[in-house]
Amino acid sequence: MANVSHSRGDLATHPDAPEMRARYARVLGGRDVALVDGPVFLLGLYCAVSPWIVHFTANQPSLVAHNLIIGVAIGLLALGFTRAPERMYGLSWAMCAVGVWMIISPWIVGTHPDAGVIWNNAVIGGLALALGLVCAGTAAWSAPGTRASR
């Protein structure tokens, strides 16, 4: 039987090695906030199902649709952060705006919200604001112009 295991040399001498290293660094350069994508998606999922968890589907029908739509939007932002981070981290500030909106929405969208609804949306909004700030801060910190200055 023939020897099929070829001993390979070091790839550092390959003519395309510097270009491959640069491409690898460029692709992974925008993934500094990879650990935030999951929590953002879970927050969107919780926001979408929160009317049924907190049980305000009967007395706040407008907030049910609102939380469902905002939850889906947060989930889509998280998927965008995962699929195309270099393009989407500019929308981290949108997460902050969604967080502020979630905090004030019970009084604007709802009718006479009770404490459970207010606390639910305030916690979702606070977490969305915090995660948006983390995404925006990390995206600004990992921008190509600031990497060289570190």
Side-chain angles (χ1 to χ4, degrees):
M1 179 159 229
N3 183 8
V4 291
S5 60
H6 301 288
S7 61
R8 299 189 183 241
D10 186 19
L11 283 179
T13 60
H14 193 277
D16 292 334
E19 180 183 342
M20 288 188 290
R21 280 191 195 103
R23 182 169 186 240
Y24 183 74
R26 189 173 59 249
V27 167
L28 289 181
R31 297 301 302 147
D32 290 341
V33 216
L35 295 176
V36 180
D37 298 349
V40 169
F41 183 75
L42 290 175
L43 180 68
L45 182 65
Y46 173 75
C47 181
V49 299
S50 67
W52 292 274
I53 293 173
V54 183
H55 301 291
F56 60 87
T57 55
N59 60 354
Q60 297 289 334
S62 57
L63 271 176
V64 172
H66 170 268
N67 280 21
L68 181 63
I69 292 168
I70 296 295
V72 169
I74 292 172
L76 289 175
L77 276 174
L79 291 176
F81 292 157
T82 302
R83 296 284 299 157
E86 64 281 347
R87 294 181 187 162
M88 291 293 292
Y89 284 141
L91 288 177
S92 300
W93 293 108
M95 277 289 296
C96 297
V98 167
V100 170
W101 171 250
M102 283 300 292
I103 292 171
I104 63 172
S105 66
W107 295 282
I108 296 173
V109 178
T111 54
H112 306 293
D114 61 355
V117 173
I118 293 170
W119 274 105
N120 179 63
N121 280 19
V123 168
I124 292 171
L127 287 172
L129 180 62
L131 290 171
L133 288 173
V134 167
C135 283
T138 308
W141 181 68
S142 66
T146 59
R147 276 203 187 272
S149 63
R150 279 192 264 157

